[in-house]
Amino acid sequence: MKFCWFHLMPYTLLPDNFREKYPSVWVDIPRELFDPAAANRMYNDFMDELEFADAQGFDAICVNEHHSNGYGLMPSPNLIASSLARRTSNAAICIMGNSLALYNPPTRVAEEMAMIDCISGGRVIAGFPVGTPWDTSYCYGMNPSQLRARYREAHDLVVQAWTRDDTFAFNGRFNQQRYINIWPQPLQKPRPPIWIPGGGSVETWQWCAEMDYVYAYLSYFGYQLGRKTMHGFWGEMDKLGKDRNPYRAAFLQFVGVAETRAEALKLYREPAEYFFNRCLHVDPKYASPPGYVTEATMRANIVSMAQQATGTARDGRGRPQQGLQNPSFEDMLDKGYVIIGSPDEVADKLREVAIDLNVGHLMLLLQFGNMGKDLTNENSRLFAQRVAPQLRDLFDDQWEDRWWPKPLPTQLRATPVSPVVARAAE
Amino acid sequence: MSEIAEHFVEVNGEPCRVWEKGEGKKLFYLAGVAGLPRWTKFLDKLAETRRVVVPSLPGFPGGQGHELLDSHLDWVTAALDLLEAAGAQNGADLIGASLGGSIAAEVAAISPGLVRRLVLIAPFGLYDTDAPPADIWAQRPGVQPSVLCKNADTYTAFTSPPDGADPGEWTIVMTRALEASARILWPLGDTRLVRRLHRVRADTLIVWGDEDKVLPPSYAEHFGHEIAGRAAVAIIPGAGHLADLDNPELAGQFISGFVNQG
């Protein structure tokens, strides 16, 4: 079992009346709510938290990409990852990821991830999401009808840039480059492991199987709603003749740990409410740029809607509505959006989830909403010291994680030296 | 009056539907952002005096192959192929509404001999910084009809499933039409048409609903100014962006009169 500490980097000072007063946390979130001086503290706290997670022994620390977003202050995950590459030494650096179609040319992604792989001594996991409709079509103006074709082509370009041993020309449908020859090249050979965050479409499952990539289901709505998707994923793997190696999959879950359940409920109520009620307050008008959802997925959703006795709510374009709007804390607990409790309770629940969903890579949101650094680090510490050891051996007797970075041996890696230490040594 | 005749022509190897009705000289119509999911009163009005021919652009109801078209030149070439396959010859009369209007203007600019009389009903294609086109896609559920038409019910009826259609499959058809529109117009609706309008030499009637919430009527003047040929503007009172749906009688009267002049 692998534990991946995942940061969204939410802006922590959205006002109490955010939901009532403002239409959206994303795309057109008001500029006046952003305080750069507060962001100075937030960014540094968040990076401290990621570095603390490394020190506590988490297997990976994860960053991701969002734009114009009040719950995701990382338009460039690569900037944070490059700092983590210097300031941490053990954890894999999971860049989850770069929305490939947004980079022109996509060669830039191949270069930056190769740089971070070299700086970190080969610790990079390369995540390649298509990107959300908000980030891609609205914030970055990407044509929703071309997004997926551009994404696939950019993926081909990046993988070739990493793995080919010549200077080559790329004559794609959307990208033309006479000379592709990235310097530096990734340290990991033939390339860093590739993980694909997906939203539950059959085409993505099939593609992950074909390419032998990890499928990461990054829903904010927990293991209960995630069951259907992950069971669908494994059903598709069976059909395609792939084994049920749990390390083919990653799954995201909010978790809050304290000494007792009562204390945990007290500590994590506010940050959970902040996240689900303020951070997920997104104007529905941005949900479905036409063409973003493929027709095959629309058709599958429409069929499954018809098959369900009481259909899940859907929007007008056949996308599943993922969870409750503005849920109460009790709903969040009841429906498993958040798993909160004592270390033993959390370990029991996560074991059940990992086995049921058959997921070897747990991606953990241990900071969420407006949670401060002290509470976040305490959550990480309790998880690392009291929860993880109970689950560490799960799956490992039977399965090998073939999708994990292969860094240089520690003794061969460079050791970053801080200027203070260097001066003291003189 | 005759019934609607349907046949298919190929564009890039993909089938595209052509609907025709009426007698007389052919009059071509390129539909707006939803395509032509059903025949309209406006087209009936035109068909009283002309053979109205409505070819479906790829991706719009009846037409396939939008996913093959990447650049704007791909789209304009496809529109020329489509019109010619549907029987357009030099000196044709051409009407385009909304998205179809911007494509009709492109056709008239790139192939000036093809078009004798051009009618543009609230065409897309230009971008005025002081009055940018509305974002027709980013609308809350249920709001889009009232953005596109003065009377939301008119648009809802226009795009509702035809008799016998599977509702789920029809949702996909209409989403595909909006996707094809987005493929052409995303994100701002500016197709750089302004660089080519000086090549439009056809006599042109520019028709605009005075309550257009997508492209304000100020665009009518802008088009008239850029087009090289004689251009007249007709404003339809009480009509929104899809003015020929909102007021088929008056739109039909203006446009019939214009295309049937000597």
Side-chain angles (χ1 to χ4, degrees):
Chain A
M1 190 84 198
K2 296 270 194 341
F3 302 99
C4 308
W5 202 104
F6 195 112
H7 218 316
L8 289 170
M9 297 201 171
Y11 192 78
T12 55
L13 294 175
L14 298 176
D16 292 346
N17 63 350
F18 180 77
R19 191 177 187 87
E20 292 74 40
K21 188 166 176 195
Y22 302 99
S24 192
V25 79
W26 210 337
V27 184
D28 56 357
I29 180 171
R31 290 174 62 84
E32 72 262 20
L33 295 181
F34 188 82
D35 175 355
N40 166 252
R41 181 179 52 70
M42 287 177 206
Y43 275 121
N44 284 283
D45 281 354
F46 295 155
M47 292 163 86
D48 287 348
E49 290 157 14
L50 283 157
E51 291 164 13
F52 184 78
D54 168 65
Q56 286 293 315
F58 281 84
D59 298 290
I61 42 182
C62 315
V63 291
N64 76 337
E65 173 177 339
H66 284 306
H67 301 274
S68 314
N69 184 324
Y71 75 71
L73 294 182
M74 271 184 287
S76 170
N78 300 0
L79 290 181
I80 304 295
S82 66
S83 171
L84 295 174
R86 284 273 296 174
R87 301 260 302 173
T88 65
S89 48
N90 295 312
I93 296 173
C94 180
I95 305 170
M96 203 69 196
N98 286 180
S99 299
L100 288 171
L102 303 183
Y103 295 83
N104 181 15
T107 315
R108 180 81 179 193
V109 174
E111 289 174 331
E112 290 189 0
M113 287 195 175
M115 285 176 71
I116 300 169
D117 205 42
C118 287
I119 295 168
S120 68
R123 288 186 284 141
V124 165
I125 294 169
F128 292 144
V130 169
T132 68
W134 305 279
D135 291 314
T136 58
S137 294
Y138 288 111
C139 299
Y140 262 44
M142 171 55 63
N143 194 310
S145 181
Q146 296 185 346
L147 173 67
R148 284 168 200 275
R150 287 179 180 273
Y151 165 79
R152 284 292 180 91
E153 180 177 305
H155 159 273
D156 294 348
L157 189 157
V158 168
V159 170
Q160 286 186 41
W162 279 343
T163 55
R164 284 180 63 154
D165 53 13
D166 56 347
T167 300
F168 64 95
F170 189 91
N171 187 13
R173 185 171 167 184
F174 305 103
N175 299 278
Q176 289 187 312
Q177 230 182 310
R178 173 74 71 177
Y179 303 104
I180 300 184
N181 176 28
I182 61 163
W183 272 67
Q185 298 148 20
L187 191 150
Q188 297 181 76
K189 296 298 173 205
R191 52 163 176 76
I194 293 177
W195 293 18
I196 307 295
S201 79
V202 180
E203 296 115 305
T204 305
W205 299 340
Q206 291 168 343
W207 191 56
C208 286
E210 179 196 335
M211 306 301 291
D212 203 28
Y213 294 159
V214 166
Y215 174 72
Y217 185 57
L218 306 184
S219 159
Y220 299 135
F221 298 102
Y223 61 95
Q224 291 181 20
L225 278 170
R227 283 186 87 229
K228 192 174 156 242
T229 298
M230 291 316 299
H231 288 184
F233 171 77
W234 290 114
E236 192 62 28
M237 293 306 108
D238 292 346
K239 258 193 242 168
L240 297 169
K242 300 289 174 185
D243 62 32
R244 285 198 166 227
N245 187 332
Y247 294 111
R248 288 185 183 281
F251 182 76
L252 182 77
Q253 181 66 52
F254 288 74
V255 174
V257 197
E259 287 294 342
T260 65
R261 178 168 182 81
E263 194 192 346
L265 292 175
K266 206 171 101 193
L267 289 171
Y268 298 112
R269 171 188 283 271
E270 187 193 329
E273 288 177 344
Y274 181 98
F275 184 81
F276 283 94
N277 300 340
R278 286 182 226 183
C279 294
L280 291 192
H281 175 53
V282 181
D283 195 322
K285 73 183 185 179
Y286 298 123
S288 299
Y292 180 85
V293 178
T294 65
E295 291 186 8
T297 300
M298 280 184 70
R299 209 163 269 126
N301 285 337
I302 288 165
V303 168
S304 88
M305 178 166 53
Q307 284 168 347
Q308 284 164 12
T310 52
T312 325
R314 310 272 161 166
D315 69 16
R317 302 216 171 92
R319 283 162 55 88
Q321 204 179 63
Q322 294 200 303
L324 294 173
Q325 290 288 308
N326 203 17
S328 69
F329 185 54
E330 288 65 33
D331 283 333
M332 296 171 208
L333 295 169
D334 185 43
K335 298 189 179 304
Y337 299 176
V338 293
I339 293 176
I340 283 173
S342 69
D344 290 350
E345 284 173 320
V346 168
D348 287 349
K349 179 51 81 177
L350 285 177
R351 182 180 297 106
E352 181 192 321
V353 169
I355 291 170
D356 181 18
L357 275 53
N358 196 40
V359 168
H361 302 116
L362 261 188
M363 313 196 80
L364 299 152
L365 283 166
L366 293 162
Q367 190 286 345
F368 46 87
N370 59 354
M371 206 187 285
K373 185 162 71 177
D374 290 347
L375 179 55
T376 301
N377 285 350
E378 182 59 8
N379 197 15
S380 297
R381 191 187 66 77
L382 281 171
F383 191 97
Q385 296 181 9
R386 309 267 299 278
V387 178
Q390 302 190 47
L391 304 170
R392 174 63 68 195
D393 296 337
L394 197 60
F395 303 129
D396 283 355
D397 53 338
Q398 215 185 334
W399 299 104
E400 180 199 354
D401 189 350
R402 298 190 286 108
W403 298 269
W404 201 255
K406 295 180 185 64
L408 278 179
T410 316
Q411 65 273 20
L412 298 182
R413 266 188 249 164
T415 309
V417 177
S418 85
V420 178
V421 174
R423 205 175 309 126
E426 277 169 11
Chain B
M1 189 178 285
S2 63
E3 289 307 299
I4 299 162
E6 176 180 285
H7 69 281
F8 287 82
V9 297
E10 278 197 1
V11 175
N12 296 314
E14 298 286 335
C16 289
R17 185 191 73 195
V18 181
W19 275 350
E20 300 191 19
K21 187 173 178 179
E23 303 299 330
K25 190 183 174 214
K26 286 182 173 175
L27 173 58
F28 295 87
Y29 175 80
L30 294 175
V33 290
L36 191 72
R38 50 167 41 79
W39 196 259
T40 65
K41 283 186 205 161
F42 166 71
L43 296 172
D44 269 340
K45 179 86 184 160
L46 301 179
E48 288 171 8
T49 54
R50 300 288 288 265
R51 176 97 177 149
V52 177
V53 181
V54 187
S56 289
L57 284 162
F60 295 88
Q64 292 183 30
H66 66 290
E67 72 282 1
L68 304 174
L69 308 175
D70 296 330
S71 69
H72 201 58
L73 185 58
D74 290 346
W75 278 98
V76 176
T77 308
L80 279 163
D81 289 345
L82 176 68
L83 286 164
E84 288 172 5
Q89 293 171 346
N90 279 0
D93 294 336
L94 175 61
I95 305 169
S98 169
L99 165 73
S102 71
I103 298 287
E106 294 278 8
V107 165
I110 285 181
S111 187
L114 187 66
V115 184
R116 185 188 73 113
R117 288 266 152 86
L118 176 68
V119 179
L120 304 175
I121 306 170
F124 269 97
L126 302 187
Y127 183 91
D128 292 341
T129 308
D130 295 339
D135 186 341
I136 59 173
W137 302 282
Q139 297 295 336
R140 292 176 188 170
V143 175
Q144 200 172 42
S146 64
V147 173
L148 292 170
C149 275
K150 157 83 172 161
N151 182 350
D153 292 343
T154 304
Y155 182 81
T156 304
F158 178 58
T159 54
S160 65
D163 290 344
D166 174 77
E169 216 38 53
W170 188 253
T171 300
I172 291 173
V173 169
M174 291 316 303
T175 304
R176 188 187 301 141
L178 291 173
E179 176 188 341
S181 298
R183 201 170 175 96
I184 300 168
L185 298 174
W186 198 273
L188 296 173
D190 182 357
T191 60
R192 315 301 193 210
L193 175 60
V194 71
R195 298 177 190 170
R196 295 175 288 277
L197 279 179
H198 68 275
R199 289 179 49 83
V200 175
R201 301 198 291 267
D203 281 357
T204 303
L205 178 66
I206 300 161
V207 178
W208 228 281
D210 70 340
E211 296 186 45
D212 190 332
K213 291 182 189 161
V214 179
L215 295 156
S218 56
Y219 278 88
E221 274 175 49
H222 192 168
F223 269 91
H225 179 74
E226 300 288 342
I227 286 171
R230 281 185 298 176
V233 174
I235 300 292
I236 312 270
H241 178 60
L242 299 175
D244 54 312
L245 277 183
D246 270 329
N247 195 336
E249 284 298 323
L250 200 52
Q253 191 185 316
F254 282 154
I255 291 167
S256 278
F258 173 72
V259 296
N260 290 327
Q261 282 167 19

